[in-house]
Amino acid sequence: MYLYHYYDKTIGAFRNLSDLPIEQAKSVLDTIKTTKPNSQTAQRHDNYVEYRRNCERILRTEFAKKGGQISRTAPHYMVVEHSPWLYSWYENCEYIKIQIEEFDINTISFTYGDSMPTFSDKINDGKEYRKKLYTYKEILDIIKKYGLPQDWNNDGKFGPERYIEVHIWSDEIIKKYVK
């Protein structure tokens, strides 16, 4: 299994708004909206930073309950296998592809779909993977049952899940890939 991280090559890989103070994160997002208005990132709503941090609090709490090893306040984000939709997000898209075996699996968690809709109170369709965070072993069972979302829902026609989101709670492997 490969994990992918998509990014704008003019900005760089693994740049996380949640690593910045709130006001600075909002300022960066405003700059993106002005300088890269056609990017998916520019379409985020005004309260995105607060929503993202609340979601990360939920992810951290749920992963801690499962015994996950957490050394970051906010995770680095990747996805399971290639996502054509995410590749279209950036004007100058690049990606980093890392074999999952490089990671200590005790430092990574997963949501079946993007974590924000997964934990949103607005989505109540009864699917078993809503409001759930998975360990590596658990996500393998979900993949076996449902497949990869990008294979059956790349266009989002069947719901918000278009990929499996991966949360990397350590800098150890990531720092090898950041330039």
Side-chain angles (χ1 to χ4, degrees):
M1 174 186 297
Y2 283 97
L3 306 184
Y4 284 72
H5 173 73
Y6 298 91
Y7 63 97
D8 184 316
K9 66 182 170 184
T10 63
I11 295 172
F14 297 106
R15 302 295 168 100
N16 191 333
L17 288 174
S18 294
D19 287 339
L20 304 172
I22 287 180
E23 291 309 315
Q24 188 178 353
K26 286 181 174 185
S27 177
V28 168
L29 192 53
D30 287 343
T31 299
I32 292 169
K33 288 179 179 187
T34 303
T35 61
K36 298 183 178 292
N38 297 324
S39 70
Q40 185 72 21
T41 305
Q43 311 311 310
R44 292 179 170 151
H45 57 78
D46 292 338
N47 294 322
Y48 173 80
V49 173
E50 291 85 355
Y51 279 55
R52 167 56 53 204
R53 288 179 189 228
N54 181 59
C55 185
E56 289 168 343
R57 180 189 54 74
I58 294 167
L59 295 173
R60 200 170 41 257
T61 300
E62 294 302 309
F63 195 43
K65 286 180 189 176
K66 291 180 178 270
Q69 296 174 8
I70 302 168
S71 62
R72 293 182 47 81
T73 302
H76 292 292
Y77 292 95
M78 299 186 80
V79 298
V80 174
E81 299 300 342
H82 174 63
S83 167
W85 183 64
L86 284 178
Y87 189 78
S88 74
W89 270 35
Y90 303 99
E91 294 173 0
N92 299 295
C93 192
E94 283 287 336
Y95 63 85
I96 293 173
K97 177 179 165 182
I98 307 172
Q99 284 190 345
I100 198 161
E101 290 81 11
E102 285 195 49
F103 294 95
D104 174 350
I105 60 168
N106 297 309
T107 65
I108 56 178
S109 61
F110 303 80
T111 49
Y112 195 82
D114 187 282
S115 56
M116 290 191 53
T118 294
F119 286 99
S120 173
D121 291 335
K122 295 177 181 166
I123 300 175
N124 297 301
D125 56 13
K127 292 181 179 174
E128 76 170 287
Y129 44 78
R130 295 284 181 248
K131 307 206 182 357
K132 290 188 182 169
L133 176 128
Y134 298 99
T135 63
Y136 177 60
K137 187 175 181 179
E138 293 168 334
I139 200 65
L140 291 177
D141 291 336
I142 295 297
I143 293 169
K144 188 176 182 180
K145 189 171 187 179
Y146 297 104
L148 296 174
Q150 59 265 46
D151 291 343
W152 59 267
N153 194 38
N154 188 56
D155 61 4
K157 198 182 326 182
F158 300 110
E161 56 277 16
R162 294 183 181 206
Y163 50 82
I164 296 171
E165 188 176 87
V166 185
H167 320 109
I168 311 294
W169 294 98
S170 169
D171 291 321
E172 186 176 334
I173 300 303
I174 299 302
K175 66 185 175 187
K176 291 176 17 182
Y177 292 89
V178 176
K179 296 176 178 147

